[in-house]
Amino acid sequence: MFDPTTAVYLAMAVIFLVIAGWKALAFLREPSLPLALITAAFFVGGVVYAMASPAGYRILGAEFGEPRIATLPVYAGILLCYADTHILTLLWTPARDTPRSIVRRTVALWTAAYGLAITAMTAAFLHADLDGPADPLRFNTQQADEPCVLVFLMILLAVLTCGTLNTWQRSRRTAGTDPRVRHALRWFGGSMLVTFGYVLCSAPAILLAALGHQELQTLGVVGSYFGILGCLGTCYGMSGAAVTAWLRERRDSAALQPLWKLVVGDIDQGLMYSPTSAKPHVWGILRIVLTRRIIEILDGIRTVQPWASAEVVQAVHDLTDRTLPEDELEAIVTAAALRDAAARYQASAEAAQPAGEQARAAQTAQAAGVLPGSGTAAQDERARLVRVARALPHPLVVAALELTAIRRSAAASDFSHEESASGHR
């Protein structure tokens, strides 16, 4: 029989485990404590959701001969996940000028508190006399009349209260932090308040059930959904900035493809790092692919630069009304100059131009300083090249190339007439 709760929990498990694998790959590339904690949190969270689903709960119970045994690792795993988020927040939000020794001591104290809480919960659970139906969503209220279970649940709720509220309070310290960390902290803070809704729903339901009343049992079930929403928020906080950056890399990689083809694919395939460079990459580790693509494009620009002409630059300036933003105008000028230079390079290669004429063309281009952007900082090259790539089909680029062709044709005609006239003399 289809169980929607099982479907929701297993979907959450898949999301967590996929992100855990992704973060593990990032950790292997750049090992760091925050990445290790994030990877561990997602892995534990995925396992917890798989065990907490009604199907997983029953399977684990049948395997160990105790229908409710999954409750212990599930609740311990919940605390481990929130401990992970809490510790990350402590590492990212020290007060101004706080010595690192104080930060380490604070982290150590909270880590010890979580460890002691899980140890005490384990001891209480193992000494509990459990009976009745094994329902993972109603365990809190069905078993609350057992003293050891009540102790087990009170420890859980107390630690969750302290951990979530302290994380929320600390997450508001975002001044001076990295933008990606600020993003994570904002979501951590909101997620912790949502998760505290689990405590607010569960505490009265458990206390009333301990007194023999089950009227608030449904409220306790509703509390579990606050936990799911809080986990989703934390999940986005830990991975949202990385997902956004990956999407930007995917977008920029696709945007650079026409420029790559112009100055690399159509010019010299020896500039490619590998045959896969010719394919647009939209999946996988895009940062490496994108960095390689930028390097190849810059090499290609250097190859065609000797054929860049100041005539095209002048044509762009003659056609523009000077109201364009500086970055956009520079991109249009560069795009027009590169399209013209690539065409002249290809024509020269087909005509097997002598090396001496190539050298003179190079000297002329270098003296003119045609291509803008030579002083661009390394961290700004990606944005500049994306602007240039997007400007390649710009109407002003097309018009400038047409105007340059007309002027060159006119100049060639004038030169031909002068040569003819001098020949007659």
Side-chain angles (χ1 to χ4, degrees):
M1 182 178 176
F2 175 75
D3 187 341
T5 304
T6 293
V8 171
Y9 275 54
L10 290 181
M12 290 291 294
V14 169
I15 291 171
F16 270 64
L17 292 174
V18 166
I19 298 176
W22 176 29
K23 293 296 182 181
L25 291 175
F27 174 78
L28 292 175
R29 291 196 307 272
E30 300 178 25
S32 67
L33 178 57
L35 270 177
L37 290 172
I38 291 171
T39 302
F42 278 117
F43 177 77
V44 172
V47 173
V48 164
Y49 271 110
M51 291 190 298
S53 68
Y57 198 86
R58 287 193 299 270
I59 291 171
L60 205 61
E63 189 70 26
F64 285 88
E66 166 49 60
R68 290 158 292 269
I69 191 64
T71 302
L72 177 59
V74 166
Y75 282 22
I78 289 171
L79 279 191
L80 284 174
C81 286
Y82 283 100
D84 214 315
T85 305
H86 190 185
I87 290 168
L88 268 175
T89 306
L90 293 172
L91 291 172
W92 282 339
T93 58
R96 188 182 298 275
D97 301 325
T98 302
R100 295 302 298 173
S101 59
I102 299 296
V103 175
R104 285 194 295 269
R105 191 180 310 156
T106 303
V107 169
L109 288 172
W110 275 105
T111 302
Y114 282 110
L116 288 172
I118 290 172
T119 301
M121 285 172 60
T122 302
F125 186 89
L126 294 178
H127 284 84
D129 183 16
L130 304 174
D131 59 7
D135 187 337
L137 297 181
R138 290 175 171 79
F139 175 88
N140 292 358
T141 49
Q142 288 176 345
Q143 307 296 328
D145 56 349
E146 163 60 34
C148 287
V149 172
L150 188 60
V151 171
F152 171 82
L153 294 174
M154 289 301 102
I155 295 172
L156 172 72
L157 295 181
V159 176
L160 270 182
T161 298
C162 295
T164 55
L165 294 182
N166 187 261
T167 303
W168 168 72
Q169 187 270 332
R170 293 290 297 247
S171 68
R172 294 154 69 189
R173 298 180 184 176
T174 59
T177 55
D178 182 276
R180 292 171 296 180
V181 173
R182 284 201 300 272
H183 168 92
L185 290 172
R186 282 196 300 270
W187 279 89
F188 284 1
S191 300
M192 291 305 111
L193 283 182
V194 172
T195 302
F196 186 60
Y198 171 81
V199 177
L200 294 178
C201 291
S202 298
I206 290 169
L207 291 175
L208 202 61
L211 298 174
H213 304 282
Q214 296 290 331
E215 288 83 357
L216 295 182
Q217 189 177 77
T218 302
L219 180 64
V221 174
V222 169
S224 65
Y225 290 96
F226 279 99
I228 292 175
L229 291 175
C231 283
L232 286 173
T234 304
C235 178
Y236 184 73
M238 287 186 180
S239 60
V243 170
T244 302
W246 183 84
L247 289 173
R248 282 198 301 267
E249 289 163 1
R250 185 175 184 270
R251 177 201 65 197
D252 289 352
S253 181
L256 287 171
Q257 181 71 13
L259 180 59
W260 181 91
K261 187 175 186 303
L262 177 70
V263 299
V264 178
D266 293 343
I267 296 299
D268 183 0
Q269 295 194 358
L271 297 171
M272 297 191 302
Y273 276 70
S274 73
T276 61
S277 295
K279 301 176 183 177
H281 295 269
V282 293
W283 303 106
I285 306 171
L286 288 179
R287 184 166 301 173
I288 296 173
V289 174
L290 183 57
T291 301
R292 188 178 67 188
R293 171 149 293 182
I294 289 170
I295 294 171
E296 290 173 349
I297 288 172
L298 292 174
D299 288 343
I301 289 174
R302 280 190 288 271
T303 299
V304 302
Q305 186 172 8
W307 280 263
S309 169
E311 296 170 307
V312 183
V313 176
Q314 186 59 49
V316 173
H317 287 297
D318 289 343
L319 291 169
T320 184
D321 57 5
R322 310 287 179 176
T323 60
L324 292 173
E326 184 178 346
D327 285 350
E328 185 178 353
L329 178 59
E330 180 184 293
I332 290 171
V333 168
T334 307
L338 287 176
R339 283 184 59 174
D340 179 67
R344 295 178 71 197
Y345 176 93
Q346 289 172 319
S348 170
E350 290 170 3
Q353 187 178 32
E357 293 184 27
Q358 291 184 12
R360 286 196 294 276
Q363 291 169 1
T364 303
Q366 289 168 0
V370 172
L371 287 177
S374 59
T376 304
Q379 66 268 23
D380 299 326
E381 278 290 9
R382 172 178 157 189
R384 181 180 78 90
L385 293 177
V386 167
R387 288 194 299 269
V388 172
R390 288 177 175 158
L392 289 174
H394 195 282
L396 191 54
V397 171
V398 176
L401 292 173
E402 291 175 352
L403 178 58
T404 302
I406 292 169
R407 287 175 175 176
R408 284 174 179 164
S409 178
S413 178
D414 290 344
F415 180 76
S416 177
H417 286 314
E418 289 178 5
E419 284 287 309
S420 178
S422 64
H424 285 303
R425 288 196 297 269

